[in-house]
Amino acid sequence: MPKAHPIEDRQPGRRRLATAHELADFCGVPLATVYQWSHRGGGPRMIKVGRHLRARWEDVEKWLDAQTVDAA
């Protein structure tokens, strides 16, 4: 059984931030694309934690919802 993250234990309503690797895997895009989103814009809102990129899962979901297109 996976061990819960300590922050989630102390703050049950909060999810841990997504890493760039997790975001790339979740969206099915190369890792380089996530870094391009961060640099050029166009992706979900990103957070710099030191030298690392992170994203709130809520922001990822909102961004994905905004990318929905009608079928032609």
Side-chain angles (χ1 to χ4, degrees):
M1 184 167 134
K3 189 174 180 179
H5 195 274
I7 296 297
E8 292 170 355
D9 290 343
R10 288 181 289 203
Q11 299 175 347
R14 307 254 331 178
R15 293 172 69 183
R16 72 181 180 80
L17 299 172
T19 66
H21 288 277
E22 290 171 331
L23 184 56
D25 186 51
F26 184 75
C27 293
V29 299
L31 181 60
T33 299
V34 174
Y35 287 109
Q36 285 177 359
W37 288 340
S38 173
H39 182 71
R40 298 180 187 166
R45 289 175 39 160
M46 303 296 285
I47 303 164
K48 289 273 293 197
V49 180
R51 62 185 189 127
H52 304 282
L53 282 179
R54 300 290 185 262
R56 289 185 182 93
W57 286 108
E58 298 82 20
D59 291 338
V60 174
E61 295 290 341
K62 286 178 191 174
W63 176 76
L64 285 172
D65 288 344
Q67 303 311 303
T68 303
V69 296
D70 293 328

